[in-house]
Amino acid sequence: MATIYDVSIMAGVSLATVSRVMNNNTKVSDKTKQKVLDAMQALGYRPNTIAQSLASNRSNSVGVLVSQLDGPFYGPMMTEIETALRSANKHVIIASGHSDEKQEKEGVEFLMSRGCDALILDVEAVSDQYLIELSQGSTPVVFINRYIDAIKERCVYLENEMGGYLATQHILSLGHKALAYISGPLFKLDARDRLQGHKRALAEFNIAFDPELCVESNFREFGGSDAMEHLLSLNKPITAVVCANDQMASGAISVCLARGLRVPDDISFIGYDNIPFPQYISPKLSTVSNPINEMGKMAARWVLQQVYNDKNVVVESSFQPELFIRDSSQALALSNVNANTP
Amino acid sequence: MATIYDVSIMAGVSLATVSRVMNNNTKVSDKTKQKVLDAMQALGYRPNTIAQSLASNRSNSVGVLVSQLDGPFYGPMMTEIETALRSANKHVIIASGHSDEKQEKEGVEFLMSRGCDALILDVEAVSDQYLIELSQGSTPVVFINRYIDAIKERCVYLENEMGGYLATQHILSLGHKALAYISGPLFKLDARDRLQGHKRALAEFNIAFDPELCVESNFREFGGSDAMEHLLSLNKPITAVVCANDQMASGAISVCLARGLRVPDDISFIGYDNIPFPQYISPKLSTVSNPINEMGKMAARWVLQQVYNDKNVVVESSFQPELFIRDSSQALALSNVNANTP
DNA sequence: CTGTTAGCGCCTTCAA
DNA sequence: TTGAAGGCGCTAACAG
């Protein structure tokens, strides 16, 4: 592999000059620049990024830590991050934290020790305080899916409370009064916010929140199934179920269908996230959007702007959820008020 | 940030000794080792991986190139790769090739220029020849989801032909004779192999392959929908549809349901891949497994073994698909032979 | 077992 | 505009 030294010899210039044309910071005369370019071409020269990093104290890499690599979220988010960053010739190093405090911290440590120029974190288990301290360190950090007031300028987040409100409001405006709620894990901020939005809508419609009809689950399909089994075992009237994400909604619906309940005739459902798959199931799931891909893009832009001084990008930090009404929710018919109470 | 130099001063030893205890290659007396460890602890020392890489000519990073970052595949695969590699303190750099030859080659270039110690590639558009040449270069490369005879020892792949055979054989053994097939893009090897398995099963049951009932699609949900619309527009009897992946199957099923066809009563379906989601839809999708996560793990192990000399791992290169019979396929009843012909 | 001494390939003042 | 020279933090012979 040719080095900068080989190039300098061949072009008859100094190392410094070669370095200059590579980074075209300083002025180099067109003539020498051309000589250097020719030499590079001839030798098939490729700069050694490791050496560049060591000398310049910049790795051109940004670390991304997400809670989990699989599932419908991480992919779209990564797609945007990778695209945005690679077009600026930066690369992405990934790690996952598994929603566990220890693992999340280890992931951060790991990425920092790799000399990342910046970190994009989608973490759930670590405390606000930890993140605040982290953001005071020398490595710039931006957070996805998290809002911390003290460092809000580095948070890219969805208005989850509003989303929870929208979902429930939609159901209520359809005339439903006997609602159940399947929540995500309440140690996660988004789950708490969505639930809070749910409660706000209930209050607005003067409907009491029944803690027994609110089940805390895990954001997974099987979690939704389990929660639904539990809800049905209560033998309370339920005409609609608001789910904190689409995956749980799908799991819950599958349980109902298996028991012969018709959706939405006997029981309505609404999810959250608007992931692609449930748009292809029967019935198509009503839901609230979660533009995770846009948020990934924004986080990448934040890094480009703050760390790599790209002046051409604007960053938006707050995203609004949007209601998508499809086929799993319908107006309450008198006939089904007690549909699933024996 | 403390450097190795600071540690050496504090511990009262040389740079080399500090380096030695870090890499514990050579023997160091317990006493000095402890002094060094203490000093490291006291200074909160973290080795600079960039400098390590430059000096050792090893980046401890492995590049992973996949065709797409979103969708139900990449996640599980990455999960395993990241877990396996991180536990060996290696990191993964990702890039995506979007099933496009140019982008795939760029991705490879990109990862190589980042000094990756090895590459794990899940590429579809580049030629066998290109990959053969690539594997002769100095950077070790392993391929997922691809079988090339000349370099089979670095291929981790699924027996797709067998999977295609199994799926179709299941349907045929249920008595179906009027089968349609929704294929993936035929420039992709896995799509071709699955189709070939399909044909083999047909031949075994003495059923002619009808090209008109074989639609080439794109492995996506909406592609499955489009393909199904087309098939139905043919007004030919169809009692079962074999789909080259679960996503297309889901899209196709949604079209049928929307038209009032009952699945599986009027028409049976089988997919391929066994992704989680269709297990929660109605009807639960029969399918063939594609252990992409296992394949990711194997690729990572291959790297650990070949590049980082880990003797404790064994690598398996060929994976067998397995049939999962669920609710979307059922025995042909005489009543539905012409179900969807008007 | 430990220290000395060159680099790894490149960037970046400082002079010229 | 260009060149010389000193690192960046660490590894890897080579001695001792």
Side-chain angles (χ1 to χ4, degrees):
Chain A
M1 207 63 197
T3 75
I4 195 175
Y5 179 77
D6 303 321
V7 176
S8 77
I9 298 291
M10 185 161 199
V13 297
S14 72
L15 295 178
T17 301
V18 178
S19 175
R20 287 187 184 105
V21 347
M22 288 178 48
N23 306 299
N24 56 261
N25 303 321
T26 344
K27 281 268 133 254
V28 179
S29 78
D30 286 352
K31 204 161 62 191
T32 43
K33 175 187 268 184
Q34 196 53 53
K35 282 193 301 189
V36 172
L37 259 20
D38 290 346
M40 285 180 170
Q41 178 84 49
L43 286 98
Y45 171 73
R46 297 213 147 278
N48 177 322
T49 57
I50 307 265
Q52 284 179 316
S53 298
L54 184 60
S56 65
N57 199 28
R58 213 169 228 215
S59 66
N60 288 315
S61 70
V62 352
V64 177
L65 178 64
V66 293
S67 28
Q68 57 172 5
L69 262 20
D70 45 9
F73 275 119
Y74 171 72
M77 184 174 115
M78 278 309 304
T79 300
E80 298 293 343
I81 294 179
E82 197 259 348
T83 302
L85 257 23
R86 179 133 77 104
S87 70
N89 215 33
K90 311 302 173 195
H91 72 243
V92 176
I93 298 179
I94 62 158
S96 68
H98 303 105
S99 304
D100 173 79
E101 181 173 2
K102 181 147 167 290
Q103 290 189 66
E104 286 182 352
K105 286 185 177 174
E106 276 176 10
V108 169
E109 282 290 322
F110 179 77
L111 294 173
M112 306 257 284
S113 80
R114 289 298 173 178
C116 293
D117 295 334
L119 261 36
I120 295 176
L121 305 183
D122 176 6
V123 289
E124 307 176 307
V126 292
S127 68
D128 284 4
Q129 192 50 42
Y130 172 81
L131 296 179
I132 292 172
E133 280 163 21
L134 194 64
S135 67
Q136 283 158 185
S138 56
T139 306
V141 195
V142 58
F143 307 99
I144 290 190
N145 256 330
R146 183 132 182 177
Y147 177 81
I148 300 174
D149 202 61
I151 47 176
K152 61 182 163 204
E153 65 285 354
R154 42 182 81 220
C155 293
V156 175
Y157 58 95
L158 176 69
E159 301 277 7
N160 275 303
E161 196 272 350
M162 177 56 84
Y165 172 82
L166 285 175
T168 301
Q169 193 220 32
H170 164 65
I171 292 295
L172 292 171
S173 66
L174 251 26
H176 292 276
K177 293 184 167 39
L179 310 202
Y181 188 84
I182 300 181
S183 171
L186 290 171
F187 77 87
K188 300 190 183 187
L189 180 63
D190 50 2
R192 285 201 303 278
D193 284 347
R194 291 172 193 187
L195 176 54
Q196 193 160 323
H198 170 69
K199 290 180 179 173
R200 177 157 68 92
L202 285 179
E204 206 168 86
F205 279 72
N206 285 313
I207 294 191
F209 170 75
D210 180 352
E212 214 183 359
L213 289 181
C214 175
V215 186
E216 179 175 351
S217 183
N218 60 5
F219 277 149
R220 310 281 298 275
E221 286 90 351
F222 71 87
S225 297
D226 294 348
M228 195 69 225
E229 302 271 16
H230 172 72
L231 286 170
L232 291 175
S233 76
L234 261 28
N235 285 323
K236 284 194 172 189
I238 298 173
T239 66
V241 182
V242 179
C243 301
N245 82 351
D246 289 352
Q247 289 169 272
M248 293 192 300
S250 304
I253 289 175
S254 76
V255 164
C256 289
L257 296 176
R259 297 222 180 169
L261 289 169
R262 293 164 305 161
V263 178
D265 305 85
D266 296 328
I267 185 165
S268 282
F269 276 88
I270 185 162
Y272 199 117
D273 285 346
N274 194 27
I275 62 176
F277 214 99
Q279 299 170 32
Y280 290 93
I281 68 174
S282 173
K284 294 183 182 23
L285 186 64
S286 296
T287 192
V288 163
S289 65
N290 180 357
I292 188 75
N293 51 346
E294 291 299 321
M295 290 167 48
K297 185 192 292 179
M298 276 309 157
R301 286 192 182 167
W302 185 93
V303 170
L304 255 20
Q305 187 193 73
Q306 301 289 314
V307 183
Y308 299 118
N309 305 313
D310 185 336
K311 292 299 180 194
N312 301 316
V313 297
V314 278
V315 327
E316 207 77 54
S317 61
S318 153
F319 287 78
Q320 298 298 325
E322 210 177 316
L323 190 62
F324 281 76
I325 301 174
R326 292 199 267 256
D327 308 334
S328 67
S329 54
Q330 80 177 19
L332 180 73
L334 280 181
S335 64
N336 73 348
V337 169
N338 288 315
N340 54 339
T341 57
Chain B
M1 208 62 197
T3 74
I4 194 175
Y5 180 75
D6 303 321
V7 176
S8 78
I9 297 291
M10 185 160 199
V13 298
S14 71
L15 293 180
T17 301
V18 177
S19 175
R20 286 187 186 106
V21 348
M22 289 178 47
N23 307 301
N24 56 261
N25 303 321
T26 343
K27 280 269 133 251
V28 179
S29 78
D30 286 351
K31 206 162 60 189
T32 44
K33 176 187 268 184
Q34 197 52 53
K35 282 194 299 187
V36 172
L37 258 20
D38 290 347
M40 285 180 168
Q41 179 83 48
L43 285 96
Y45 171 73
R46 298 217 144 274
N48 178 322
T49 58
I50 308 267
Q52 285 179 314
S53 299
L54 184 59
S56 65
N57 196 29
R58 209 170 231 215
S59 67
N60 288 314
S61 70
V62 352
V64 176
L65 179 63
V66 294
S67 29
Q68 59 173 4
L69 262 20
D70 45 9
F73 274 119
Y74 171 73
M77 184 174 115
M78 279 307 304
T79 300
E80 298 293 343
I81 295 179
E82 197 258 349
T83 302
L85 257 22
R86 180 132 78 102
S87 70
N89 214 31
K90 312 301 174 196
H91 71 244
V92 0
I93 297 180
I94 62 156
S96 69
H98 303 105
S99 304
D100 174 78
E101 181 174 3
K102 183 147 165 288
Q103 290 188 67
E104 286 183 351
K105 287 186 176 174
E106 276 175 9
V108 170
E109 283 288 323
F110 179 77
L111 294 173
M112 306 257 285
S113 80
R114 290 302 178 171
C116 293
D117 296 334
L119 261 37
I120 295 176
L121 305 184
D122 175 8
V123 290
E124 308 177 306
V126 292
S127 67
D128 284 4
Q129 192 51 41
Y130 171 82
L131 295 180
I132 291 171
E133 280 163 21
L134 193 64
S135 67
Q136 283 158 185
S138 56
T139 305
V141 195
V142 58
F143 307 100
I144 290 189
N145 256 330
R146 184 137 181 173
Y147 177 81
I148 300 174
D149 202 61
I151 47 176
K152 61 182 163 204
E153 66 284 357
R154 39 181 85 221
C155 293
V156 174
Y157 58 94
L158 177 69
E159 301 277 7
N160 275 303
E161 197 271 350
M162 177 56 82
Y165 172 82
L166 286 177
T168 300
Q169 193 218 32
H170 164 65
I171 292 295
L172 291 172
S173 66
L174 250 26
H176 292 275
K177 295 186 164 41
L179 309 204
Y181 189 84
I182 300 181
S183 171
L186 291 171
F187 76 88
K188 301 190 184 188
L189 181 62
D190 49 3
R192 286 201 302 280
D193 284 348
R194 291 172 193 186
L195 176 54
Q196 194 160 320
H198 170 70
K199 289 181 178 169
R200 176 157 68 91
L202 286 179
E204 206 167 85
F205 279 73
N206 285 313
I207 295 192
F209 171 75
D210 180 352
E212 214 183 359
L213 289 182
C214 176
V215 186
E216 179 175 351
S217 184
N218 60 5
F219 276 148
R220 309 282 297 275
E221 286 90 351
F222 71 86
S225 297
D226 294 349
M228 195 68 228
E229 301 271 15
H230 171 73
L231 286 171
L232 291 175
S233 75
L234 261 29
N235 286 323
K236 285 195 171 185
I238 299 173
T239 65
V241 183
V242 179
C243 301
N245 81 350
D246 290 352
Q247 288 168 274
M248 294 193 299
S250 304
I253 289 175
S254 76
V255 164
C256 290
L257 295 178
R259 297 221 180 172
L261 288 169
R262 292 165 306 161
V263 178
D265 304 86
D266 296 328
I267 185 164
S268 282
F269 276 88
I270 186 164
Y272 200 117
D273 283 348
N274 195 27
I275 62 177
F277 215 98
Q279 299 170 32
Y280 291 92
I281 68 174
S282 173
K284 296 184 180 21
L285 187 64
S286 295
T287 192
V288 162
S289 64
N290 181 355
I292 188 75
N293 49 347
E294 291 299 320
M295 289 164 54
K297 184 192 293 181
M298 276 311 157
R301 286 191 182 168
W302 185 93
V303 171
L304 255 19
Q305 186 191 72
Q306 301 289 315
V307 182
Y308 299 118
N309 305 312
D310 184 338
K311 293 298 180 196
N312 301 315
V313 298
V314 277
V315 325
E316 206 76 53
S317 61
S318 153
F319 287 79
Q320 299 298 325
E322 210 177 313
L323 190 61
F324 282 76
I325 300 174
R326 290 199 268 256
D327 307 334
S328 67
S329 54
Q330 79 178 19
L332 180 73
L334 278 180
S335 64
N336 74 348
V337 169
N338 287 318
N340 55 341
T341 55

